[in-house]
Amino acid sequence: MIPYRPEPLTDFHNPANQEAFAAALAKVEQELGRTYPLIIGGKRVDTGRYIESINPSKKAEVVGRVAMAGKDEVEQALAAAWEAYRTWSRMPVIERAAVLFKTAAIIRRRKHEFSAWMLLEAGKSRAEADADTAEAIDFLEYYGRQMIDLARRADDLVTPISGEDNHIEYIPLGVGAIIPPWNFPLAIVTGMTVSAVVAGNTVLLKPAIQTPVIAYKLMEALEEAGMPAGVVNFVPGDPAEMGDFMVGHKDVRFISFTGSKQVGLHLNELAAKRIPGQRWIKRFVAEMGGKDAIVVDEGYDVEQAAQIIAQSAFGFSGQKCSACSRVIAHESLYDALVDRVAEIAKTFKVGDVRDASVGTGPVIDQKAFEKVTTYIEIGRGEGRLVAGGTASNETGFFIQPTVFADVKPDARIMQEEIFGPVVAFTKVKSFEEAIDVANSTEFGLTGSVLSTNREHLAYARHHFHVGNLYFNRKCTGAVVGVHPFGGFNMSGTDSKAGGPDYLLLFTQMKSVSELL
């Protein structure tokens, strides 16, 4: 088997790639406004109630209408999933992995088409969408190989003993609920779904209400690759109506969730309660966001630091759980760094991402727009506005990259997750103080340290408490298999997606011993 290697990103400086993407975008635009059903047990189900997905760059434009599931459809999907589990769980690992590899090949052939859907439904730029699609391919290729390797090496983990024949195997858990976010509407949806499935589980996939169409396109690829009916059941719906019902259902064995801290904690509490007739303790896997910091040490190059900060804070309008929203800078370079990041922020062109010259698109919807602009108003009272601060939702949900300086470490914009293009600066007198400030939030997802001092890097390695720590690079852009991703504290259960231990979360070890 060919070793796993991350999928190459597209070079959009190449005219041929520009033309290929333009053709894919034109094709996708012809498909806007279609209606999509649920998929339960392989059958299309139209409930007559719909989620209307809109283009956040042009809110009058409907990307698609997707059928909404309710409690009855959840019950149907659970029955279909458990029926499919009887055969899928016993299918040889190599055959389950083969479905993932085939799906990867399908998405790879249609890479620009999948990315184009993300321009229209999630407001991602070409580069951000292309990276999202590449990551989805990576999850398929990586988890398929990881499951094969896990099955092959299981017996090597057992200590031999005379007079007995001993074996272990990693068996699936059962039926799970997959609840992904909207911000990586192909990559994270794919990774969360196929990691559970390749381990032998069957699932109910409830995509985010903002991005259900791209999730449906993944379903089409899985079906084309030969995924048996009922293994993945597509049940989008209103979280208030069916989300709690699904998570709390006695027939759900595990929940895989990525989203906000508030929702994650609620679901964790719900999953922990035993329902009459429930035969197991539910497993809960969660990634719940962050308040990520970049620490800039004395003596670091200001221009290089400013470029890293701008990329980390404003890529995809700051709508990444790994995005930089805090900068903790040494007083010796603080003023120069603030000024340079502010200058860079003002150069970002914000608008409809169909325009190839636009690098920063909209925030996802009206709710996000209101949340981010509210925090900008809070920031005006907590710091000094040096760039941005303006916004418009007239045609789309556009917010200018915003920079606040002279913010106290305990201020709200330094402590609470904003999930938008807003970054706050605070000044420190020493490196030790900087790390203390970095650790002062309830989150612990990603962080970067920009320093040329090896002793300081060693200090940060031991004292900066985040799940993904980066030195002298941006705090975004984790690559599957290269940077296992997941955080500490209120950032989740440290699940480490795209890492060698991730599939263990969806399996249970069975030991079989025979006396000879």
Side-chain angles (χ1 to χ4, degrees):
M1 185 168 56
I2 298 173
Y4 164 74
R5 292 289 183 271
E7 180 73 10
L9 300 180
T10 301
D11 178 7
F12 286 108
H13 294 100
N14 185 328
N17 291 334
Q18 295 173 14
E19 293 174 8
F21 193 92
L25 181 58
K27 178 181 183 297
V28 167
E29 287 183 310
Q30 293 302 310
E31 300 178 20
L32 293 177
R34 293 182 178 180
T35 299
Y36 302 90
L38 309 181
I39 303 176
I40 298 175
K43 298 178 180 179
R44 267 58 179 170
V45 177
D46 191 338
T47 61
R49 301 185 304 140
Y50 305 101
I51 298 167
E52 191 170 78
S53 175
I54 66 169
N55 181 348
S57 289
K58 187 178 181 182
K59 62 184 184 179
E61 187 171 71
V62 176
V63 176
R65 295 176 178 87
V66 182
M68 290 178 61
K71 293 180 180 179
D72 289 345
E73 289 75 29
V74 169
E75 294 281 11
Q76 295 168 27
L78 281 169
W82 277 111
E83 179 63 26
Y85 179 77
R86 296 172 58 189
T87 53
W88 179 253
S89 62
R90 290 170 172 79
M91 184 177 288
V93 166
I94 192 70
E95 295 182 27
R96 297 199 301 256
V99 178
L100 271 64
F101 299 148
K102 176 64 174 176
T103 306
I106 291 167
I107 295 176
R108 188 179 289 112
R109 286 196 296 269
R110 296 164 51 201
K111 179 185 290 189
H112 293 329
E113 184 179 330
F114 278 91
S115 296
W117 279 110
M118 282 185 276
L119 260 69
L120 300 176
E121 191 171 40
K124 292 204 165 192
S125 67
R126 284 161 173 73
E128 293 284 353
D130 183 70
D132 198 308
T133 304
E135 187 175 4
I137 294 169
D138 287 345
F139 278 130
L140 290 158
E141 297 282 5
Y142 181 78
Y143 287 144
R145 286 166 173 78
Q146 284 292 308
M147 193 63 219
I148 292 171
D149 183 62
L150 186 63
R152 284 176 176 172
R153 64 184 172 89
D155 281 341
D156 294 337
L157 304 176
V158 176
T159 301
I161 187 173
S162 62
E164 287 187 3
D165 181 29
N166 295 297
H167 298 275
I168 61 171
E169 58 180 315
Y170 294 93
I171 66 172
L173 299 173
V175 174
I178 308 298
I179 308 175
W182 52 263
N183 63 330
F184 284 83
L186 183 60
I188 294 182
V189 173
T190 300
M192 291 175 66
T193 301
V194 304
S195 54
V197 164
V198 77
N201 303 287
T202 56
V203 301
L204 277 62
L205 169 59
K206 194 200 84 61
I209 59 173
Q210 297 92 338
T211 53
V213 174
I214 187 64
Y216 187 89
K217 297 299 175 181
L218 170 64
M219 288 294 300
E220 290 181 327
L222 290 170
E223 289 181 322
E224 184 180 343
M227 187 69 75
V231 174
V232 182
N233 299 276
F234 181 71
V235 285
D238 183 351
E241 177 186 353
M242 50 83 78
D244 284 9
F245 177 75
M246 180 172 65
V247 170
H249 200 287
K250 67 179 179 61
D251 292 334
V252 169
R253 176 64 178 85
F254 65 92
I255 299 94
S256 182
F257 168 80
T258 299
S260 71
K261 180 196 73 173
Q262 180 181 2
V263 175
L265 291 176
H266 169 69
L267 296 182
N268 185 42
E269 181 179 359
L270 190 63
K273 296 179 180 178
R274 185 186 179 193
I275 306 301
Q278 180 179 314
R279 302 176 61 188
W280 43 65
I281 299 172
K282 293 181 181 180
R283 191 171 294 182
F284 185 73
V285 179
E287 194 271 281
M288 304 191 305
K291 189 65 181 173
D292 311 296
I294 293 181
V295 171
V296 187
D297 196 10
E298 182 178 14
Y300 200 81
D301 181 80
V302 169
E303 179 62 26
Q304 186 173 354
Q307 295 292 340
I308 290 171
I309 291 164
Q311 292 170 15
S312 300
F314 305 133
F316 189 38
S317 293
Q319 298 176 114
K320 301 178 183 179
C321 50
S322 59
C324 172
S325 59
R326 298 182 294 153
V327 177
I328 304 160
H330 190 271
E331 60 183 2
S332 62
L333 46 68
Y334 177 86
D335 291 335
L337 183 62
V338 167
D339 291 345
R340 184 60 185 129
V341 172
E343 290 174 359
I344 296 172
K346 294 171 184 176
T347 68
F348 278 77
K349 184 177 180 180
V350 180
D352 190 327
V353 289
R354 280 177 286 200
D355 180 346
S357 68
V358 170
T360 304
V363 295
I364 191 64
D365 59 14
Q366 180 66 28
K367 182 178 178 181
F369 181 86
E370 292 174 357
K371 177 184 177 183
V372 177
T373 52
T374 295
Y375 271 107
I376 289 174
E377 291 308 306
I378 292 169
R380 293 179 190 274
E382 293 185 331
R384 174 170 56 93
L385 179 66
V386 294
T390 59
S392 171
N393 63 349
E394 184 177 351
T395 57
F397 307 108
F398 300 112
I399 300 174
Q400 290 293 324
T402 299
V403 181
F404 287 102
D406 308 338
V407 183
K408 293 181 180 180
D410 60 353
R412 289 185 65 185
I413 64 169
M414 287 286 285
Q415 292 291 322
E416 300 173 12
E417 187 174 42
I418 299 173
F419 225 64
V422 180
V423 66
F425 278 73
T426 194
K427 184 190 301 184
V428 293
K429 296 180 181 298
S430 70
F431 188 77
E432 291 76 14
E433 181 189 358
I435 298 301
D436 287 343
V437 172
N439 287 332
S440 67
T441 76
E442 62 184 356
F443 296 100
L445 185 53
T446 77
S448 290
V449 175
L450 310 183
S451 177
T452 58
N453 186 317
R454 298 305 304 179
E455 292 182 0
H456 286 178
L457 294 179
Y459 182 89
R461 186 184 297 270
H462 293 290
H463 295 281
F464 197 164
H465 193 61
V466 290
N468 288 76
L469 178 59
Y470 302 106
F471 291 159
N472 297 323
R473 54 149 285 179
K474 62 182 182 175
C475 59
T476 58
V479 176
V480 173
V482 180
H483 314 108
F485 189 81
F488 306 149
N489 300 343
M490 286 297 165
S491 288
T493 56
D494 188 37
S495 53
K496 287 295 185 285
D501 299 333
Y502 192 66
L503 295 184
L504 296 177
L505 298 170
F506 307 103
T507 64
Q508 49 198 345
M509 183 191 291
K510 185 173 184 178
S511 175
V512 180
S513 300
E514 180 180 0
L515 185 65
L516 300 177

